[in-house]
Structures are given as C-alpha cells and as structure tokens.
Amino acid sequence: MTTTPDIHAPTFLAGDEFSIPTFRLLKQDGSLHEGATAPELEQDKALAIYRAMVATRVLDERMLAAQRQGRLSFYMQCTGEEAAVVGATAALDDADMIMAQYREQGALVYRGFTFDEFMNQLFGNELDYGKGRQMPIHYGSRKLHYMTISSPLATQIPQATGYAYGQKLAGDGLCTTVFFGEGAASEGDFHAALNMAAVHEVPVIFFCRNNGYAISTPSIEQFAADGVAPRAFGYRMHVIRVDGNDILAVYSATREARRIAVEHNQPVLIEAMSYRLAAHSSSDDPSGYRSKKEEEAWRDKDPILRMQRWLIDLGWWSEEEEKALQESLRREVLETMKRAEKRPPPPLDSLVTDVYADVTPELQRQLDSLKRHIRQYPEAYPKGASSLDPDVRAGDDVAAKGED
Amino acid sequence: MPTMNMLQAINNALDIAMGEDDKVLCFGEDVGSFGGVFRATSHLQEKYGRARCFNTPLVEQGIIGFANGLAAQGSVPVAEIQFADYIFPAFDQIVNETAKYRYRSGDLFNVGGLTIRTPYGGGIAGGHYHSQSPEAYFAHTPGLKIVVPRDPYQAKGLLLASIRDPDPVIFFEPKRLYRAAVGEVPEEDYQLPIGEAEVTKEGTDVTLVGWGAQMEVIDRAVELAEKDGISCEVIDLRTLLPWDQDSVAESVFKTGRLVITHEAPRTGGFAGEIAAAIQERCFLYLESPIARVTGLDTPFPLTLEKEYLPDHLKIVEAIRASVNF
C-alpha cells in the first residue's frame, strides 16, 4: 500500500484528465514512423506471419461466399483485424494457451490448424473435434493450445486467469493470452478476471480487440472512458494501447507483455485499436448502423497491405509471390471445403457421449429409446439413421477421429 | 474411530485430498487464514501454503470462472461459494461453462477436476438469503453432478469421491448439520460412490426418499409411523444428478408407495422429477399417488421458518395418507 497525501478541500479527479498514447511503428506506406525501430523479426518468421494473415483473409472471403451460397449455416470474418491476432500469437510461445472469443481464426492459422481442420468444424462433420455440437467458427485444438470457443461472451476471461494461475503453479514458464472485444469488456467476467489476476499475480495477457463495434453498438455507446485501457490502472496492472493494424507494434507489444507476464508473474492488458471491416457475422448487415464512408476510411488502413509493403521494401516479398500465394490458397480452400462437405455427420451415439466422462444409465436409456424411434422413421432422420446401420457407412475411408 | 462433526469431516477430507495431490487447491471468500466463515478450511493455508489455499476477491462469477480455467489446465480446484444463496452470480459460469466444457469441445478439454462446495438449506434462522436449497436449478443441467451428504461419515467419503471424480461436482453441504451432526468418521482415506442412492432402512409399506438435512427429519417421521405399525423403507439419494432411479424404482416395486421430501419450493422442485420418473417405471405397482412434502412456493421466511419447513409431522402425515389412500 502506498501512502496517499491528504487534501483539505473536496477535490475530485475526473477520468477524462488523461488519455493513453497509442504505440505505432509501421506507417501505412510500409515505412517506419520517425524514431521507430522494428522489432527483431527474422525473414522466415515475418513471412510466416504474413502468410497466416493472408490465409486468414482468403479463408474468410471464401467461407462468407459459401455461407451466401447456402453451403454453410453461419460464418464470422475477422477482416481488418488480422494483424492484431496473428501478430500477438506470433509473439507468444507456441505452447502458451490461447483463449479466444470467436474472431481469432488468425491465431489458429498461424499455429498450423489446417484448412481441413477448419472445414471439419465449419461443416460439423464426423471429423470435427467438437463432434458437430457447436455452431460454425467454434474451433478448438488441444495440440495447438487453443481452448475451444464458447458462445457466451467474456466467460473465457476469468477462465484465462485460472488457467494461467495453474501454469504459474506448474512452473512451466508459460502464460495464457485471452482475446476479447471491447463489448465483452463490459461484462462482469472481465472485471472479475482482471481483479483476480492482479491480486493473485497471474501470468495472463488480456488482449482486447477494440474494433469499434459490438454487433451494431458503437464503442461510444459501450463506454464513456478513453477506451478499455484505463481500467487497468484501477486494478494496478500493466497496460499498453497499440495500433491493432500495425503488425510490428502488435508483435513488439505482445512480446514485451509476455516477458512481464512470465518473468514477473504479472497480468498485462493490451488494447489493440482496430476496426471490424466486415459484418459482425453472416447474419448481420452493417449498412443499417454505419456509413460506407467510415468503412472506406478504415479500408485504407488495411493491416495486410501495410505489412506487404514493408516486406516488399525489405526485398522479402514480391508481387509475383503474392499472386501465387493467393491462387494456391483459394484453390486449397475450395478443395478442402468440398472434402469436408462430403464427409458424414458424427455418429448418433455422439449425442450422449462427453456429457459426463462415462455415459450415465439414464442417457443410455434415452439413446436406446431414440434409436428405436429412428429405426421406425429412418427417412425422417437421415443423419441419425445413417449411423444406425453399419452398412450405410461401409466404404467410408475416414481415418481415426480426434486429435493426439 | 474418532468422532467428528460435519465441518471436521469436511476439513479432514480436504486435508487428505490436498496432502495426497499437490494439484488440489481450495479457495473462495474468507477460506484462507480465517478458515472460512464456517471454518471448513481451517488450517489448510497454514499446512499447504497461500498458493494452494487462499482468499479470493468477493466475486462469485470470478471464483467459478477462475476455477473452470484452473480445472481445464489440469489442476483440481475445490471452490467454495460461501452460501448457496450466493451462487447465482456464478450461474452462467456453472451452467454454460462448467457443465458444457467436455461436451462442446468433443472431449478436447474438460473441467472434471472441479468441485464446488456450498452450504445450503434452512433451519438456522437465516431468512431467505441464507437458507435456500437451489439444487433443482442445477439438476436441470446435463454435465454437472450434484452431491448432498447427510452426516459427517457421508460428507467425508462423498467429498473425497467428488474431488477425484472425472466430472465437475456441486457439493451441497447441509449447514444446519455442520455442528449438529456428530458421528464416527474413520481417520483414513475412503470414498463413497457418486450416483448411487443408499437404502438407510429397509421396510415394506412405503418408500421415503430425501437427501441432505431432510434425512434426519425423515428418520424422526419414520419413528412416529412405525409406532402406528407402518413399515418404512428409507432412501438417501445422496446424488441428485445423475440420480439413482433403479434403487428408488426397486423399492417402490416392493412397497407400492412413495413419499419424497425436500426443503426447496415445490414447483419445479426435484421431487417432481423423481415422481414423474417413478410413475413411468412403476405405474402398475403404485397403491397410492406419489406424495411430495416440500417447502412452499415462496421465498424462504425468517420468523415462520418452522412453519415453512417440511418437518417430521408433515412427513408422517404424508406417510399415513399414502398408506390409508
């Protein structure tokens, strides 16, 4: 506890008397800001980051198109925010846990989640690790240390504090990074998580993607303060605001945040200022609440283009390589999508597994009863019926399911 | 064999679990050096250190959110919610997260190591915010296990089983019995089965089903009924989710009558679920309608608590009505 000076007149302090600066390194033309130094980033790693950002965007564009064609029930893009998520992920150890909200597919792409793995989840087929139980985009990967997404907002934030506390006790030198939007930062879970992390000195990085909108609610209707970052002071926590479209700044800030978290067991809050160029989801239409002009202004701050110019200036990338990459990614997305669409749904028995470690007698009774009913009306339940009769699945070339 | 009250038995179980496995952690409001407002965690911080037994800020959703993450990481958290009446800020974390972790990830991740301990129930002049029995809210949530012990011996064996169970458990402790229930409890490690009811008394005329603090009340009603010459079979459910239908059905096949009792309000209470399931399985064997003896559909009162609670007199009247139907 620090001693605070006494005052003898009612003097109020107002939250609008300070504002938090924004950390920037890279200008939109690909050159560095005056006085800025690029972080140490080897060519291979820089290109891996860039390829992950481009792959994420190609995946998003194609899958939104697939949703519009009726091939997919739902999709969420992260267009405009690729640098924030991929840059942060690249600054972490590959074994650090990531707890995401739902717009962080870039982290998975960077860590090597394949297009096949994405598609299996998006189509909820029998190879989906989540066994077709959640909406599209609720990815998870144990081997890539990426916690399965949960729809309720912000619930992952106190869980990240708990997960990281376990890592601290285990002494494995790892930390947890939790992503969330500025809207989720209004939930009680956010405040619970930051307070507990600060009190218990937990190695967790709270990464807020401030993208301006929570569905249709603009950030100006989300909070009165100067963004999310100042809240860190109330919890006595390290904080930095970074240009979320600046790959070098995000990478640099997250690398330093990780050092603070792991070396000092201190939580860190990062607020990445960006813009959700796409709709909230495939079910949303932003033209109802914001102008094309506003969107265009942010399109000019495209984080991928910014990094591309930097790489080309360095001689690490070229227009030809760009064209070839785009083409091969598009082809790969389409091929994997076709494969995933053809795969059968998860077997009927998966309805009752994983509720508990073992299927309970009551669940077994309910499943048996359901099977009797489906045998009576197989045509009404084609997905369930297909796994009741082993012959229906004969010729199926599907290999072992799940991971590890 | 030493004699312990229920709090000592719970403390002893926690001590054994923490001593055996350094991944077991106890935390919650005031559980640290103070040992919890009921003293269930006494001396655990002294013995196992502040990293493994500690106070949290006053934030139930944070406690359970933190516990979910910790359990997903591979630790074995035993989180305390100081009173079951205050579990509702954590409702989202429990029903949407704890319960669904394994299912939604296809078993990539689970929080099976988690045990949530929380004192429940009336009879302590606590009024409506220190007396509720909210088990039915959670019994509607697949993925949770709900365990309620009736005495110190059961409390120790069931708590050790809950901590080591591969699924998340809410462990409702009947706080009226914390000090009132005293009995012989082995000092060594032992477990009682989760998901199995126990027939605590055999009989032929009527089956009585309850859990937790109601078991003591049932026993008093049975004494009165037996003076009337009614032979009662008594079943302690012990686990409400998943509950042991077979044991209850088997008993009702024999007696043809069923009386269920709980402190919680009647509408939507767990007795309704038991009644529905048993009439499906035992319809042709029933000699009288299944009876429920429960709290009223009101918030829990303070001054008229004795009137509100399902006591031995209300239960014995239900037994008589069932037998004389």
Side-chain angles (χ1 to χ4, degrees):
Chain A
M1 282 288 176
T2 53
T3 22
T4 51
D6 290 344
I7 54 172
H8 305 291
T11 310
F12 295 89
L13 306 173
D16 55 5
E17 285 172 6
F18 62 88
S19 63
I20 294 185
T22 305
F23 173 48
R24 299 177 201 276
L25 294 174
L26 195 58
K27 291 197 279 192
Q28 192 59 31
D29 65 5
S31 67
L32 292 171
H33 283 279
E34 199 177 329
T37 312
E40 280 176 39
L41 196 54
E42 289 164 7
Q43 181 174 349
D44 285 354
K45 185 154 186 168
L47 288 176
I49 292 170
Y50 182 71
R51 287 195 186 100
M53 286 165 65
V54 174
T56 303
R57 185 164 298 183
V58 171
L59 176 75
D60 279 356
E61 285 169 353
R62 294 287 123 189
M63 297 324 289
L64 183 72
Q67 194 278 335
R68 294 294 185 241
Q69 292 165 357
R71 296 165 79 175
L72 199 60
S73 61
F74 178 83
Y75 194 75
M76 294 180 100
Q77 299 174 284
C78 65
T79 304
E81 298 176 69
E82 293 92 344
V85 174
V86 177
T89 305
L92 302 174
D93 188 292
D94 280 346
D96 285 344
M97 176 52 71
I98 288 180
M99 295 202 178
Q101 181 164 308
Y102 48 55
R103 211 181 291 288
E104 292 86 1
Q105 50 268 49
L108 276 172
V109 173
Y110 182 81
R111 284 194 172 176
F113 205 61
T114 66
F115 280 168
D116 277 312
E117 290 175 297
F118 276 104
M119 297 301 166
N120 292 336
Q121 198 287 325
L122 291 168
F123 289 93
N125 66 28
E126 66 167 358
L127 293 185
D128 170 18
Y129 301 137
K131 303 180 187 170
R133 291 167 183 162
Q134 294 210 76
M135 286 171 79
I137 69 92
H138 288 65
Y139 313 110
S141 171
R142 193 167 182 85
K143 72 173 181 244
L144 299 179
H145 308 283
Y146 188 94
M147 185 64 72
T148 303
I149 307 283
S150 164
S151 294
L153 271 187
T155 52
Q156 79 279 18
I157 311 177
Q159 289 170 14
T161 300
Y163 200 100
Y165 187 78
Q167 290 172 315
K168 174 181 157 180
L169 294 191
D172 53 15
L174 297 173
C175 67
T176 294
T177 296
V178 54
F179 291 97
F180 51 91
E182 85 287 351
S186 294
E187 295 278 7
D189 276 327
F190 167 84
H191 300 278
L194 269 67
N195 192 37
M196 291 181 81
V199 169
H200 291 294
E201 302 186 323
V202 176
V204 54
I205 300 170
F206 298 103
F207 195 103
C208 177
R209 296 177 291 94
N210 187 338
N211 67 8
Y213 286 89
I215 307 189
S216 72
T217 302
S219 55
I220 198 167
E221 293 173 35
Q222 192 68 244
F223 40 68
D226 170 33
V228 173
R231 295 179 200 172
F233 300 142
Y235 298 113
R236 202 217 63 187
M237 188 182 293
H238 291 83
V239 62
I240 189 168
R241 171 173 288 153
V242 59
D243 178 346
N245 288 18
D246 176 343
I247 188 69
L248 298 182
V250 171
Y251 176 79
S252 218
T254 311
R255 201 176 55 174
E256 178 61 10
R258 187 181 189 279
R259 193 189 63 75
I260 294 168
V262 173
E263 289 180 14
H264 302 286
N265 282 319
Q266 289 295 323
V268 184
L269 174 63
I270 298 175
E271 184 180 24
M273 307 308 288
S274 186
Y275 188 82
R276 193 195 74 209
L277 268 176
H280 164 69
S281 75
S282 56
S283 309
D284 171 45
D285 175 11
S287 70
Y289 53 83
R290 69 187 191 193
S291 67
K292 279 273 165 233
K293 200 176 149 196
E294 179 186 302
E295 289 177 25
E296 288 311 318
W298 276 94
R299 224 168 268 287
D300 293 340
K301 299 177 186 173
D302 187 336
I304 293 184
L305 207 52
R306 196 184 302 188
M307 187 181 191
Q308 187 194 109
R309 286 166 177 155
W310 178 69
L311 289 173
I312 289 174
D313 285 353
L314 284 173
W316 289 358
W317 194 243
S318 66
E319 301 284 355
E320 295 73 41
E321 284 166 301
E322 178 73 24
K323 199 165 166 244
L325 176 66
Q326 296 267 357
E327 275 171 17
S328 77
L329 287 169
R330 285 204 174 91
R331 198 168 53 241
E332 199 192 333
V333 168
L334 291 174
E335 283 166 6
T336 53
M337 179 161 58
K338 280 180 196 156
R339 270 203 293 277
E341 277 178 315
K342 281 187 200 142
R343 290 205 186 277
L348 188 68
D349 286 32
S350 72
L351 267 178
V352 301
T353 56
D354 308 329
V355 180
Y356 296 98
D358 299 308
V359 175
T360 63
E362 174 61 18
L363 272 173
Q364 191 57 51
R365 276 192 288 272
Q366 292 176 13
L367 180 66
D368 293 344
S369 163
L370 177 63
K371 282 181 175 174
R372 283 193 296 276
H373 178 77
I374 291 176
R375 286 205 176 90
Q376 201 178 343
Y377 297 99
E379 67 290 341
Y381 310 96
K383 288 180 184 167
S386 70
S387 66
L388 278 181
D389 182 355
D391 295 338
V392 177
R393 287 164 85 86
D396 188 350
D397 62 348
V398 171
K401 286 166 224 144
E403 278 187 303
D404 292 344
Chain B
M1 199 183 291
T3 304
M4 295 185 195
N5 67 27
M6 190 178 281
L7 281 168
Q8 290 164 332
I10 288 165
N11 184 257
N12 184 231
L14 293 170
D15 191 0
I16 288 172
M18 291 181 85
E20 168 205 66
D21 180 359
D22 63 11
K23 286 192 173 304
V24 178
L25 291 88
C26 289
F27 52 87
E29 294 155 14
D30 302 301
V31 307
S33 61
F34 183 59
V37 289
F38 292 104
R39 319 313 299 272
T41 52
S42 290
H43 307 300
L44 296 177
Q45 188 177 73
E46 278 165 51
K47 205 163 167 184
Y48 299 104
R50 298 172 68 89
R52 291 182 57 203
C53 177
F54 52 89
N55 292 335
T56 64
L58 209 118
V59 56
E60 289 78 10
Q61 71 184 124
I63 292 169
I64 303 303
F66 181 92
N68 279 334
L70 199 49
Q73 180 270 341
S75 295
V76 184
V78 185
E80 179 178 299
I81 297 294
Q82 202 164 76
F83 286 87
D85 309 71
Y86 302 118
I87 205 167
F88 297 106
F91 200 68
D92 180 43
Q93 282 288 346
I94 296 171
V95 306
N96 269 327
E97 302 292 318
T98 307
K100 291 162 181 130
Y101 235 91
R102 189 192 298 275
Y103 191 75
R104 73 176 178 218
S105 70
D107 204 21
L108 286 187
F109 301 97
N110 75 80
V111 296
L114 173 59
T115 303
I116 301 170
R117 290 181 41 246
T118 189
Y120 85 96
I124 57 143
H128 50 205
Y129 294 123
H130 295 84
S131 304
Q132 294 174 71
S133 299
E135 68 271 8
Y137 293 101
F138 300 100
H140 193 52
T141 306
L144 300 177
K145 286 184 175 172
I146 299 174
V147 176
V148 195
R150 68 173 184 274
D151 64 23
Y153 175 80
Q154 294 284 319
K156 179 175 170 181
L158 288 170
L159 182 55
L160 279 167
S162 298
I163 292 167
R164 294 157 180 165
D165 194 82
D167 293 306
V169 175
I170 307 183
F171 193 79
F172 284 105
E173 299 170 0
K175 61 181 170 289
R176 184 167 64 75
L177 304 184
Y178 267 161
R179 293 191 172 82
V182 179
E184 289 191 335
V185 176
E187 255 177 308
E188 64 268 19
D189 193 339
Y190 65 93
Q191 286 181 213
L192 296 170
I194 290 179
E196 282 183 29
E198 185 186 18
V199 178
T200 59
K201 184 188 169 309
E202 293 195 13
T204 53
D205 296 333
V206 59
T207 301
L208 289 148
V209 170
W211 50 87
Q214 273 313 92
M215 297 315 298
E216 184 205 39
V217 181
I218 288 173
D219 288 345
R220 291 170 67 199
V222 166
E223 274 179 38
L224 294 178
E226 304 234 307
K227 281 180 190 158
D228 293 355
I230 302 170
S231 167
C232 301
E233 181 142 302
V234 180
I235 298 179
D236 176 7
L237 215 48
R238 299 197 291 192
T239 303
L240 269 64
L241 189 68
W243 67 284
D244 184 354
Q245 285 184 28
D246 291 346
S247 289
V248 179
E250 203 174 303
S251 176
V252 174
F253 285 136
K254 181 171 70 175
T255 65
R257 297 180 182 86
L258 176 61
V259 176
I260 311 157
T261 173
H262 59 60
E263 290 184 28
R266 172 165 306 202
T267 302
F270 199 66
E273 177 58 36
I274 297 170
I278 294 303
Q279 70 84 17
E280 280 175 2
R281 292 181 66 169
C282 308
F283 183 70
L284 293 174
Y285 294 80
L286 287 170
E287 304 281 350
S288 65
I290 297 170
R292 290 179 286 169
V293 187
T294 68
L296 307 182
D297 284 354
T298 68
F300 201 101
L302 178 64
T303 308
L304 296 178
E305 178 175 48
K306 189 164 166 45
E307 286 68 20
Y308 174 90
L309 279 168
D311 65 358
H312 60 294
L313 295 175
K314 293 175 184 174
I315 296 170
V316 78
E317 282 309 312
I319 294 170
R320 288 171 181 152
S322 178
V323 172
N324 298 322
F325 179 74

